[in-house]
């Protein structure tokens, strides 16, 4: 039981549930003609000393499944009525709490007296004889040791007439093979950790050894891999799962490396040898045991493989994938193997003799379940929850292209740990270790052996001595540029059509017909407001039978028929006073259904059809008292609404875990840095530190603010090139409270400009002339900016390295892709990054995650306008769209190219749309929205606009000759036409350009004034037209 036996706590519920299910299956088998248990009426599970057993076998595996621990020198005797356990007194103390009426157990305590111990065994044999004539044993298991010998002696002496039947298949089928959710999670995490060790450590180490041609033995290499599970930091960085315990792992299959023509595919018993790792075919195998549940992953790596080796491996991979596809609930083990063999016979019959005799086995507490082997003789049926090690391979293959004797013979094998799933294909737990040919192949000799020959270009007889590449399809440079732009636009349009079609399909799949509305508003629930629980909690003023305001209970108490009646402030709509005939009236209006409370009102009612009090009026001659009461009620209503709004604002604020400070060494520290949002008090620079699980900012006033890596969604570094500050920006997953306000964006920055400059002159300036000092100052500022960028970037990378376990990485904005726009109050530079669209200089900051964007619509895109707007919709339709306004039209093509490059579907239109109404329609019924075309209406609008322009152009050329003549007559009669003046002016200008004598200044001034008037009229017309539109 190990050194920590004092800490043994057996889960009573798990024990009772598993023992009950085992006995139930046993009884059911009795009713079904003893198919599984072979008619056994009792079963004995004997386990000797732990040092006499290697790994897990069915006896100690059954103990662990039932109890969660190994109990050496213990006999478990099972009958349908009761369970008997022969063990020592100390072990019995752990087992006593397990006894219950549901699963009765009897403990038989062994001591040091041999005769008394034999009497206990005699009692067990009598129980076996009284239970029936057949006794279940694990026939293939031959336990050894003094305890086992004593049991065999007692059994043969008194129960020799009882028939022994093998129940190995029953133990496997009922107890060990089908696993519950907790067991499956252990197998999955162990398999994931195994595949990650293989792919992230063993693979890299092997690549380095082969690349450097180092002399490393198989045993030394395996020992290095074997010791890696003791590296807790490495195991944590594998990111197996959130609850992965690095202290609960051990080896089920020790690391095994084989190369150089000698291969043994008995992966569990084979030990690494002292031969050096050799390029060619390398078989790597390992398997972790996590929380006692085993896993296995094996890969064959090919170094400079021949064509035949590549072909054989591709075929093995096809066979392997075929076997995994056949691992389904209800499949038979023998049928799976036969199908794999038939595939080999059909496709490559020459490999049939080299194919392994099994294609897998059950895996769990036992590293290999001998009763659940996938071969031609096993008729076991697969069930949901079973786990297998699928192992396919070819042994003793010959390489006809081998250049050495050691490379002439090779083997190929692939192993994966999989789970049988209900009604679907098997789940592969070891898929992190790639098995395709590209993932397992190394090519080192390609650059040395394959030197491409220089081939002379063939001349085309049709063009003679002229190079065909120099003959262009267009004659003019302008035409070539136009063609390129047209091709680029056509390719972009085609890509956008694909993106929109994909988005439409995703929307239909995402919102099925039964999805319902997504109004973004939860179903309104009736809120009960309780002012007082007991009468003695009323304020003392109620005895005076006056209207009084109790701020502590947020209640207004009013007299009704001589009794004080409390009304919670949330039931009151408002209070007002008015004077009439010497009296002052106080009117209380209450909330009730059907009042039209407005869009922001979220009041609901338990029974809207009940009778409600709409208002109460009170009369008094004391004007000041009622006015003061009305003011108190109004103030109480405002405070209540403010508190409710604060509560809603803080709903998404989560309390972070505690920061784990760096204890082993001094944390990485950067100072001085300023903090945004600005802290209370004087603006002072502080310092920021990197700790084990987050950042800590220290302010000189003593304030501290912690940011955990797990709460960081994006990390940005923005250099101070073309800016006044250098920034490390943190965008959070959940907001935190700073200065009593919640925020999701935090910045650490430092100013890059030197404000102080000596203008008075000094000793250096006396001996310098010209611009030397200005040049030196510019160089100094450039050097400081470079140093600042380097310092902040290094610190950001350290933050990324420390938060690697939380998938933290540094993102840098691409300034060359940036564009100006107005996302909030001012015009700022908005820059894309790898994962986001950001504006980090002025508050409020803008951070938009690209993966959360549904579609983008560009508004006011029409000829003659200098700016356009961008609207970004999100996957979460309950989030309001973000508007970026007043983007210069010069950036239109750049914005389109960037959106297309990051696979975001976009559309454009000439008008601003009412997005609140559009999103309300979308959230009301998303399924109907996508059935009607989804976001296609945005692109349809722009297409219709283009089509209308074309129709107008066509109609201009379809005018009849009579209409043209009539219009020409009307235009000639119009003497005051501006167009005639312009035409005469243009003609005069043309004549003047041809004449040698120019016009005088007076004429030029008149023409300029006339043009200004015309242009002003045109601008005014344009503005009025825009307003009408």
């Amino acid at each position: 039981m190990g050194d920590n036996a004092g800490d043994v706590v057996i889960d009573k519920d798990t024990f009772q549930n598993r023992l009950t299910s085992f006995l139930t299956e046993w009884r059911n088998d009795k009713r079904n003609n003893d198919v599984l248990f072979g008619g056994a009426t009792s079963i004995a599970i004997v386990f000797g000393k732990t040092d006499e057993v290697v790994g897990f076998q069915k006896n100690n595996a059954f103990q662990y499944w039932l109890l969660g621990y190994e109990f050496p020198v213990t006999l478990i005797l099972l009958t349908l009525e009761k369970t008997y356990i022969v063990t020592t007194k100390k072990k019995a103390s752990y087992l006593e709490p397990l006894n219950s009426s549901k699963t009765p157990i009897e403990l038989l305590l062994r001591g040091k007296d041999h005769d008394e111990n034999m009497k206990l065994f005699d009692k067990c044999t009598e129980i076996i004889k009284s239970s029936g004539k057949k006794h279940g044993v694990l026939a293939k298991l031959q336990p050894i040791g003094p305890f086992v010998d004593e049991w065999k002696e007692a059994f043969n002496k008194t129960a020799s007439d009882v028939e022994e039947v093998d129940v190995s298949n029953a133990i496997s089928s009922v107890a060990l093979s089908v696993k519950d959710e907790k067991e499956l999670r252990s197998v999955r995490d162990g398999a994931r950790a195994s595949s990650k060790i293989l792919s992230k450590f063993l693979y890299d180490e092997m690549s380095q050894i082969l690349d450097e041609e180092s002399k490393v033995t198989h045993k030394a290499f395996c020992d290095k891999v074997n010791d890696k599970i003791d590296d807790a930091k490495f195991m944590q960085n594998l990111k197996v799962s959130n609850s992965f315990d690095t202290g609960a792992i051990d080896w089920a299959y020790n690391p095994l490396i084989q190369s150089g023509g000698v291969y043994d595919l008995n992966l569990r018993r084979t030990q690494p040898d002292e031969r050096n790792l050799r390029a060619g075919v390398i078989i790597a195998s390992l398997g972790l045991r996590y929380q006692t549940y085993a896993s296995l992953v094996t890969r064959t790596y090919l170094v400079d493989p021949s064509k035949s080796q590549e072909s054989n491996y591709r075929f093995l991979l096809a066979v392997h994938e075929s076997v995994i596809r056949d691992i389904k609930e209800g499949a038979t083990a023998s049928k799976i193997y036969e199908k794999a063999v038939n595939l080999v016979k059909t496709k490559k019959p020459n490999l049939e003799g080299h194919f392994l005799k099994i294609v897998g086995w059950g895996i769990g507490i036992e590293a290999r379940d001998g009763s659940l082997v996938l071969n031609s003789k096993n008729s076991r049926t697969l069930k949901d929850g079973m786990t297998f090690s699928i192992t396919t391979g070819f042994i003793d293959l010959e390489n006809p292209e081998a250049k050495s004797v050691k490379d002439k013979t090779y083997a190929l094998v692939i192993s994966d740990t999989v789970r049988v799933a209900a009604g679907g294909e098997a789940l592969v737990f070891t898929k992190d270790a790639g098995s395709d040919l590209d993932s397992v192949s190394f090519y080192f000799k390609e650059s040395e052996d394959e030197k491409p020959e220089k081939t002379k270009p063939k001349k085309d007889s049709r063009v003679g001595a002229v190079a065909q590449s120099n003959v262009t399809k267009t004659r003019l440079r302008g035409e070539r540029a136009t063609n390129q732009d047209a091709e680029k636009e056509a390719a972009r349009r085609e890509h956008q059509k694909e993106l929109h079609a994909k988005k439409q399909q995703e929307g239909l799949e995402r919102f099925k017909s039964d999805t319902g509305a997504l109004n973004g508003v939860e179903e309104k629930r009736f809120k009960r407001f309780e002012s007082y629980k007991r009468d003695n909690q009323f304020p003392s003023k109620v005895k005076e039978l006056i209207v009084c305001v109790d701020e502590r209970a947020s209640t207004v108490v009013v007299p009704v028929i001589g009794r004080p009646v409390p009304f919670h402030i949330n039931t009151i709509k408002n209070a007002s006073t008015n004077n009439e005939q010497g009296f002052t009236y106080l009117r209380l209006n209450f909330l009730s259904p059907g009042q039209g409370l407005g869009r922001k009102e979220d009041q609901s009612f338990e029974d809207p059809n009940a009778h409600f009090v709409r208002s109460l009026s009170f009369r008094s001659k004391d004007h000041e008292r009622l006015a003061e009461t009305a003011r108190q009620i109004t103030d109480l209503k405002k405070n209540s609404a403010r508190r409710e709004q604060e509560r809603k604002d803080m709903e998404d604020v989560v309390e972070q875990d505690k920061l784990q400070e760096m204890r082993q060494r001094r944390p990485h520290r950067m100072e001085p840095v300023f903090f945004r949002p600005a802290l209370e008090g004087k603006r002072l620079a502080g310092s920021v530190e990197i700790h084990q699980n987050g950042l800590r900012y220290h302010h000189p006033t003593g304030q501290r603010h912690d940011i955990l890596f797990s709460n960081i969604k994006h990390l940005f570094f923005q250099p101070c090139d073309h800016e006044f500050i250098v920034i490390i920006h943190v965008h959070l997953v959940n907001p935190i409270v700073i200065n009593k306000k919640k925020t999701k964006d935090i910045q650490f920055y430092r100013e890059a400009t030197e404000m102080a400059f000596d203008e008075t002159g000094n000793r250096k300036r006396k001996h310098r002339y010209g611009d030397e000092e200005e040049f030196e100052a510019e160089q100094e500022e450039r050097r400081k900016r470079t140093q600042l960028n380097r310092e902040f970037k290094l610190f950001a990378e350290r933050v990324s390295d420390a938060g690697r376990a939380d998938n933290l990485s540094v993102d840098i904005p691409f300034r060359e892709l940036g564009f100006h726009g107005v996302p909030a109050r001012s015009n700022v530079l908005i820059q894309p990054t790898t994962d986001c669209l950001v504006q980090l200089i002025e508050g409020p900051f803008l951070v938009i995650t690209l993966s959360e964007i549904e579609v983008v619509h560009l508004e006011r895109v029409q000829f003659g306008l200098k700016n356009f707007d961008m609207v970004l919709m999100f996957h979460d339709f309950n989030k309001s769209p973000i508007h970026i306004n007043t983007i210069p039209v010069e950036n239109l093509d750049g914005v389109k190219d960037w959106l297309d490059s990051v696979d975001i579907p976009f559309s454009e239109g000439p008008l601003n749309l009412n997005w609140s109404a559009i999103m309300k329609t979308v959230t009301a019924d998303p399924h109907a929205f996508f059935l009607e075309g989804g976001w296609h209406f945005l692109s349809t609008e722009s297409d219709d606009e283009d089509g209308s322009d074309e129709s107008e152009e066509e109609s201009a050329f379809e005018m009849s000759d009579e209409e043209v003549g009539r219009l020409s007559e009307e235009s000639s009669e119009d003497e005051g036409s501006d167009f005639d003046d312009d035409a005469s002016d243009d003609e005069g200008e043309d004549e003047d350009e041809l004449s040698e004598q120019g016009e005088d200044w007076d004429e030029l001034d008149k023409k300029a004034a006339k043009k200004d008037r015309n242009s002003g009229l045109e601008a005014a017309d344009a503005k009025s037209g825009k307003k009408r539109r």
Side-chain angles (χ1 to χ4, degrees):
M1 290 180 54
D3 299 333
N4 60 343
D7 300 332
V8 172
V9 177
I10 300 175
D11 190 332
K12 183 177 180 180
D13 293 337
T14 301
F15 170 80
Q16 291 180 350
N17 292 336
R18 291 185 176 180
L19 182 58
T20 301
S21 66
F22 183 85
L23 296 176
T24 301
E25 291 293 331
W26 193 0
R27 294 189 182 98
N28 292 338
D29 187 63
K30 284 285 183 187
R31 302 186 189 99
N32 297 328
N33 300 323
D34 295 319
V35 176
L36 195 58
F37 285 83
T41 55
S42 60
I43 299 174
I45 307 295
V46 189
F47 185 33
K49 289 185 177 181
T50 54
D51 54 1
E52 296 167 353
V53 179
V54 180
F56 278 90
Q57 298 175 336
K58 278 194 170 49
N59 51 1
N60 56 342
F62 182 79
Q63 277 192 358
Y64 189 88
W65 176 78
L66 195 60
L67 304 172
Y69 296 92
E70 287 182 340
F71 279 76
V73 192
T74 299
L75 167 67
I76 299 178
L77 179 60
L78 300 166
T79 66
L80 293 172
E81 294 79 20
K82 199 172 187 180
T83 301
Y84 304 87
I85 302 177
V86 181
T87 188
T88 61
K89 183 177 180 180
K90 184 175 182 180
K91 299 186 185 74
S93 62
Y94 308 129
L95 300 172
E96 285 178 356
L98 303 180
N99 191 17
S100 69
S101 58
K102 186 178 180 182
T103 55
I105 63 172
E106 182 177 344
L107 301 176
L108 306 176
L109 306 184
R110 283 174 54 85
K112 296 182 179 180
D113 190 337
H114 179 266
D115 295 336
E116 292 296 328
N117 293 338
M118 294 304 294
K119 289 181 181 179
L120 295 178
F121 285 147
D122 291 340
K123 181 178 179 180
C124 292
T125 56
E126 291 298 329
I127 294 171
I128 292 173
K129 292 173 65 176
S130 61
S131 298
K133 296 182 179 180
K134 291 185 178 181
H135 173 59
V137 296
L138 302 175
K140 297 181 180 179
L141 189 63
Q142 298 296 329
I144 58 175
F147 177 79
V148 178
D149 294 339
E150 290 178 6
W151 164 248
K152 288 181 178 179
E153 179 184 348
F155 182 82
N156 294 331
K157 179 180 177 181
T158 59
S160 56
D161 55 337
V162 176
E163 180 184 355
E164 292 183 341
V165 294
D166 187 12
V167 292
S168 298
N169 285 348
I171 296 291
S172 172
S173 178
V174 176
L176 303 179
S177 61
V178 179
K179 300 165 183 64
D180 57 27
E181 183 180 351
K182 182 179 179 181
E183 294 175 296
L184 290 171
R185 196 179 297 115
S186 298
V187 176
R188 181 202 64 186
D189 289 352
R192 285 182 178 175
S194 300
S195 58
K196 287 178 181 290
I197 291 176
L198 186 76
S199 60
K200 293 190 176 182
F201 180 74
L202 187 148
Y203 181 88
D204 294 340
E205 288 291 318
M206 182 174 62
S207 303
Q208 185 177 356
I209 293 171
L210 295 173
D211 191 22
E212 297 175 355
E213 298 183 356
S214 304
K215 302 295 182 182
V216 180
T217 64
H218 295 152
K219 189 176 186 307
F221 191 6
C222 292
D223 290 341
K224 192 172 183 179
V225 179
N226 188 73
D227 297 337
K228 206 61 185 175
I229 64 170
D230 298 326
D231 187 348
K233 184 177 181 181
F234 170 80
M235 297 302 298
Q236 288 176 353
N237 290 336
L238 293 181
K239 302 176 186 177
V240 176
S241 66
N242 295 331
S243 59
F244 186 71
D245 182 9
T246 58
I249 54 177
D250 197 3
W251 289 111
Y253 289 84
N254 288 313
L256 178 63
I257 309 293
Q258 303 178 76
S259 66
V262 179
Y263 305 96
D264 187 349
L265 299 189
N266 190 340
L267 303 176
R268 189 181 178 194
R269 298 180 182 177
T270 305
Q271 298 297 322
D273 52 41
E274 296 291 345
R275 286 191 293 271
N276 288 332
L277 182 68
R278 178 181 173 83
V281 176
I282 303 173
I283 295 178
S285 173
L286 57 87
L288 285 175
R289 186 183 294 279
Y290 178 62
Q291 294 178 343
T292 316
Y293 287 84
S295 60
L296 175 64
V297 58
T298 306
R299 295 292 181 264
T300 301
Y301 296 101
L302 307 175
V303 182
D304 295 321
S306 63
K307 297 297 182 183
S308 62
Q309 288 176 330
E310 289 183 348
S311 175
N312 290 339
Y313 184 83
R314 287 194 186 94
F315 179 65
L316 174 62
L317 186 61
V319 175
H320 187 78
E321 292 173 348
S322 174
V323 173
I324 292 178
R325 284 194 297 270
D326 292 336
I327 300 295
K328 296 179 180 179
E329 186 178 20
T332 306
S334 59
K335 296 291 184 182
I336 295 173
Y337 178 79
E338 290 172 2
K339 190 173 180 180
V341 172
N342 290 334
L343 180 60
V344 176
K345 286 181 180 179
T346 305
K347 299 294 183 181
K348 287 196 174 186
N350 59 312
L351 298 179
E352 181 186 357
H354 303 277
F355 192 58
L356 298 181
K357 302 303 180 185
I358 59 175
V359 293
W361 54 84
I363 194 169
I365 299 178
E366 291 183 279
R368 175 173 173 150
D369 188 346
S371 61
L372 199 56
V373 176
L374 302 179
N375 59 12
S376 59
K377 300 178 181 179
N378 195 349
S379 59
R380 288 278 298 272
T381 302
L382 276 57
K383 300 179 181 178
D384 176 29
M386 288 184 173
T387 52
F388 286 87
S389 171
I390 302 302
T391 302
T392 57
F394 298 110
I395 191 68
D396 295 333
L397 297 175
E398 291 189 3
N399 181 16
E401 304 175 25
K403 298 179 181 179
S404 172
V405 178
K406 293 184 178 180
D407 297 331
K408 191 172 184 180
T409 304
Y410 67 96
L412 302 172
V413 64
I414 305 174
S415 295
D416 281 301
T417 302
V418 305
R419 176 215 163 167
V420 181
E425 293 186 357
L427 303 177
V428 182
F429 291 153
T430 50
K431 59 184 178 182
D432 290 332
S435 58
D436 57 288
L437 188 60
D438 292 337
S439 301
V440 300
S441 299
F442 297 85
Y443 297 94
F444 293 106
K445 297 181 180 180
E446 182 178 7
S447 58
E448 301 174 5
D449 300 342
E450 299 180 6
K451 294 183 180 179
E453 298 179 358
K454 295 182 179 180
T455 58
K456 296 182 179 180
K458 296 181 179 180
K459 294 182 179 180
D460 195 340
S461 58
R462 295 171 295 177
V463 298
V466 181
Q468 189 176 9
S469 59
N470 293 333
V471 180
T472 59
K473 296 181 180 180
T474 56
R475 297 180 178 181
L476 302 177
R477 290 190 297 271
E479 293 180 9
R480 293 201 293 270
T482 303
N483 290 342
Q484 291 175 1
D485 293 341
E487 292 174 0
K488 180 181 177 182
E489 180 68 21
R492 188 167 62 195
R493 284 180 177 274
E494 188 65 28
H495 186 218
Q496 282 298 312
K497 286 182 179 179
E498 296 176 1
L499 293 177
H500 279 282
K502 182 180 179 182
K503 189 65 64 177
Q504 172 70 9
Q505 186 63 31
E506 290 176 357
L508 291 173
E509 294 176 358
R510 178 181 167 195
F511 300 103
K512 304 292 185 183
S513 56
D514 58 349
T515 302
L518 295 175
N519 306 4
V521 180
E522 295 181 0
E523 183 181 355
K524 293 181 180 179
R525 297 180 180 179
F526 173 71
K527 297 180 181 179
R528 294 183 178 273
F529 304 106
E530 187 176 37
S531 298
Y532 308 103
K533 293 184 177 180
R534 293 180 297 276
D535 294 343
N536 57 8
Q537 293 179 339
F538 278 89
S540 58
K541 291 183 180 181
V542 299
K543 297 178 181 179
E544 303 175 11
L545 293 180
I546 61 174
V547 179
C548 62
V549 179
D550 186 0
E551 295 184 0
R552 181 183 56 83
S554 298
T555 300
V556 178
V557 184
V558 300
V560 177
I561 317 179
R563 292 180 177 273
V565 178
F567 289 93
H568 196 276
I569 191 62
N570 287 333
T571 64
I572 298 176
K573 184 178 181 182
N574 54 38
S576 61
T577 60
N578 66 305
N579 300 323
E580 186 177 341
Q581 298 179 355
F583 289 94
T584 298
Y585 291 85
L586 172 67
R587 180 183 177 91
L588 301 180
N589 296 316
F590 297 94
L591 296 172
S592 60
Q595 286 184 321
L597 302 176
R599 294 187 305 175
K600 295 185 179 180
E601 188 61 55
D602 60 352
Q603 182 73 27
S604 58
F605 302 91
E606 185 175 17
D607 183 11
N609 298 320
H611 293 282
F612 288 83
V613 176
R614 279 288 182 90
S615 64
L616 291 175
S617 295
F618 300 91
R619 188 181 69 171
S620 174
K621 290 186 177 181
D622 191 346
H623 169 72
E624 293 182 357
R625 188 178 64 81
L626 284 190
E628 177 65 18
T629 301
R631 186 190 62 77
Q632 291 178 356
I633 294 174
T634 302
D635 292 343
L636 185 61
K637 182 70 177 177
K638 290 180 180 177
N639 293 335
S640 175
R642 178 177 52 79
R643 287 194 299 269
E644 181 67 17
Q645 186 62 39
E646 290 177 353
R647 184 189 64 80
K648 289 182 178 179
D649 290 342
M650 295 299 175
E651 280 182 348
D652 56 345
V653 176
V654 296
E655 184 177 354
Q656 297 186 114
D657 294 335
K658 189 175 180 181
L659 184 76
Q660 299 176 7
E661 298 184 12
M662 192 72 68
R663 301 294 185 184
Q664 298 85 358
R665 57 173 177 81
R666 295 183 62 183
H668 292 296
R669 185 185 185 98
M670 183 173 66
E671 58 181 351
V673 290
F674 292 96
F675 186 88
R676 286 203 288 191
L679 302 178
E680 295 178 350
K682 189 177 180 181
R683 178 176 175 270
L684 297 172
S687 62
V688 59
E689 297 175 345
I690 304 175
H691 290 274
Q692 291 185 11
N693 65 333
L695 304 175
R696 169 168 288 174
Y697 179 78
H698 294 270
H699 194 263
T701 59
Q703 300 181 57
R704 295 192 311 184
H705 294 282
D706 298 337
I707 307 166
L708 298 190
F709 294 140
S710 59
N711 195 30
I712 296 179
K713 186 175 183 180
H714 298 293
L715 175 67
F716 303 100
F717 160 69
Q718 180 163 314
C720 56
D721 301 334
H722 310 287
E723 300 291 351
F724 294 113
I725 57 177
V726 58
I727 297 171
I728 292 178
H729 187 98
V730 175
H731 184 68
L732 304 179
V733 177
N734 297 306
I736 62 175
V737 177
I738 296 178
N739 293 344
K740 299 180 182 180
K741 295 181 180 179
K742 68 176 184 178
T743 180
K744 291 187 72 172
D745 292 279
I746 294 174
Q747 274 189 6
F748 308 104
Y749 72 96
R750 192 186 302 170
E751 295 177 352
T753 57
E754 187 64 41
M755 300 302 295
F757 184 76
D758 186 7
E759 294 288 352
T760 61
N762 52 31
R763 187 182 305 176
K764 290 184 178 180
R765 288 180 62 94
K766 293 179 182 179
H767 303 285
R768 293 186 180 179
Y769 304 92
D771 298 331
E772 293 181 9
E773 192 167 78
E774 293 184 10
F775 293 152
E776 183 177 336
E778 290 178 2
Q779 292 176 359
E780 180 67 15
E781 183 178 355
R782 197 177 298 116
R783 185 190 63 80
K784 287 183 178 180
R785 286 178 178 270
T786 304
Q787 182 180 352
L788 270 178
N789 289 341
R790 188 183 303 113
E791 180 183 358
F792 269 68
K793 185 177 182 181
L794 176 61
F795 191 81
E797 290 174 348
R798 285 176 174 171
V799 174
S800 175
D801 292 340
R804 189 173 298 166
D806 296 289
N807 296 325
L808 199 59
S809 60
V810 184
D811 212 352
I812 302 177
F814 301 113
R815 189 179 182 87
E816 60 274 11
L817 299 178
F819 55 89
H820 284 83
V822 183
R825 295 187 291 265
S826 57
N827 196 313
V828 293
L829 179 64
I830 302 168
Q831 305 174 76
T833 69
T834 303
D835 301 318
C836 300
L837 183 66
V838 301
Q839 184 279 121
L840 308 178
I841 298 298
E842 296 185 21
F845 306 117
L846 177 71
V847 178
I848 302 174
T849 306
L850 299 183
S851 59
E852 297 176 358
I853 297 176
E854 176 82 0
V855 293
V856 172
H857 184 64
L858 307 178
E859 298 181 326
R860 296 196 301 122
V861 179
Q862 56 179 314
F863 180 75
L865 295 183
K866 296 181 179 180
N867 303 300
F868 67 96
D869 304 331
M870 178 191 294
V871 184
L872 302 100
M873 280 69 71
F874 297 96
H875 295 311
D876 183 3
F877 295 151
N878 294 321
K879 291 179 64 176
S880 299
I882 290 182
H883 296 253
I884 302 177
N885 300 323
T886 323
I887 305 173
V889 74
E890 292 82 8
N891 298 119
L892 180 60
D893 286 337
V895 170
K896 289 182 178 180
D897 289 340
W898 168 70
L899 290 172
D900 192 63
S901 66
V902 294
D903 293 337
I904 295 179
F906 68 86
S907 56
E908 59 182 79
L911 304 175
N912 291 108
L913 303 179
N914 186 354
W915 287 102
S916 59
I918 292 174
M919 297 311 297
K920 191 176 294 184
T921 303
V922 174
T923 54
D925 192 349
H927 179 69
F929 172 73
F930 280 101
L931 278 181
E932 295 172 0
W935 303 107
H936 182 65
F937 77 95
L938 296 174
S939 56
T940 303
E941 178 190 354
S942 60
D943 293 342
D944 294 342
E945 183 70 19
D946 297 340
S948 63
D949 294 341
E950 293 175 1
S951 62
E952 290 174 3
E953 293 175 3
E954 292 173 358
S955 63
F957 290 99
E958 292 175 359
M959 294 178 66
S960 63
D961 296 337
E962 295 179 359
E963 291 174 339
V964 173
R966 178 167 48 80
L967 288 174
S968 62
E969 291 176 0
E970 292 176 357
S971 62
S972 62
E973 293 173 359
D974 190 2
E975 296 178 356
S977 173
D978 293 336
F979 297 100
D980 289 344
D981 295 339
D982 291 343
S984 62
D985 291 343
D986 294 341
E987 292 175 2
E989 289 175 3
D990 293 339
E991 293 176 358
D992 292 338
E993 289 176 0
L994 296 175
S995 63
E996 297 181 358
Q997 184 178 1
E999 297 175 340
D1000 58 5
W1001 287 105
D1002 295 334
E1003 293 177 353
L1004 291 173
D1005 288 338
K1006 290 180 181 179
K1007 287 187 176 183
K1010 179 179 254 186
K1011 286 189 176 182
D1012 291 340
R1013 287 197 304 273
N1014 293 338
S1015 62
L1017 289 172
E1018 290 172 3
D1021 292 341
K1023 289 182 180 179
S1024 61
K1026 182 178 178 181
K1027 290 179 181 179
R1028 287 193 299 271
R1029 188 181 299 113

